[in-house]
Amino acid sequence: MAKITFHNSYHVDLKELMRVYETNYAKLNALLPHKPEVGEVRCYQAAHMTYQLEVSEVTKYTTLVDICQSDEIAVFPLPTMSVRLYHDARVAEVFSTDQLTRVEPRYCYPNDKMVQKDEKAQVNRFLGDWLSFCLRHGISRAPINISPQ
């Protein structure tokens, strides 16, 4: 007798995703200026690679930061990301990447761009790992003024 297999569809683990958003918010704030302004840039040297954080939008409740690798020749290129910080909720999420103009909570698979079902969770976990790397091993190219928030 033939066995019928059912594939469980992917469900967003909201609790885990919010934890990632909250830790990314704290990590990213540690790398940004105390009161960021549009156009401000922070560069970090880590493991012979240079990373750049540029503030591209500041509103009362949000800040949009573009993150990229700024080496002339990138050995291990970091995907370009735009990260939105929501100050009232104290969370940060990847808003877009160089492959996706808007990162959706989940995707059907297979799809035209061949992104994973949990692409949003993966790219936000990647951001968290990258921010931890910069905080542990990065050296700022400009002095950082640490002020209480």
Side-chain angles (χ1 to χ4, degrees):
M1 177 179 238
K3 203 178 213 183
I4 299 174
T5 325
F6 293 99
H7 296 283
N8 292 336
S9 63
Y10 171 72
H11 297 289
V12 177
D13 183 350
L14 191 57
K15 185 177 176 181
E16 170 65 16
L17 196 56
M18 289 306 292
R19 185 191 64 76
V20 170
Y21 288 170
E22 289 170 354
T23 56
N24 285 352
Y25 181 84
K27 292 173 187 176
L28 194 51
N29 267 317
L31 294 170
L32 289 172
H34 174 60
K35 291 186 178 184
E37 295 179 14
V38 174
E40 279 191 279
V41 175
R42 285 276 197 245
C43 291
Y44 293 92
Q45 186 80 35
H48 306 292
M49 294 175 273
T50 306
Y51 302 103
Q52 176 178 305
L53 287 76
E54 181 176 358
V55 178
S56 58
E57 179 184 285
V58 177
T59 67
K60 185 174 180 177
Y61 297 108
T62 66
T63 300
L64 187 64
V65 178
D66 295 321
I67 300 173
C68 67
Q69 191 167 353
S70 58
D71 294 317
E72 287 183 29
I73 300 173
V75 178
F76 300 107
L78 172 76
T80 303
M81 296 181 255
S82 292
V83 181
R84 188 170 304 279
L85 289 86
Y86 298 92
H87 303 297
D88 52 346
R90 301 183 63 79
V91 296
E93 74 167 323
V94 175
F95 181 73
S96 67
T97 66
D98 44 358
Q99 301 93 349
L100 303 168
T101 54
R102 184 170 185 272
V103 182
E104 299 292 334
R106 68 179 189 187
Y107 292 89
C108 293
Y109 191 84
N111 54 61
D112 293 342
K113 293 188 179 184
M114 292 305 292
V115 294
Q116 297 297 312
K117 291 179 181 181
D118 65 339
E119 190 77 18
K120 186 175 197 94
Q122 286 188 39
V123 75
N124 278 285
R125 282 194 302 266
F126 174 78
L127 173 64
D129 292 344
W130 179 81
L131 290 170
S132 293
F133 173 76
C134 281
L135 287 167
R136 266 185 263 153
H137 304 289
I139 299 170
S140 175
R141 290 190 163 182
I144 298 174
N145 299 327
I146 300 176
S147 305
Q149 293 200 11

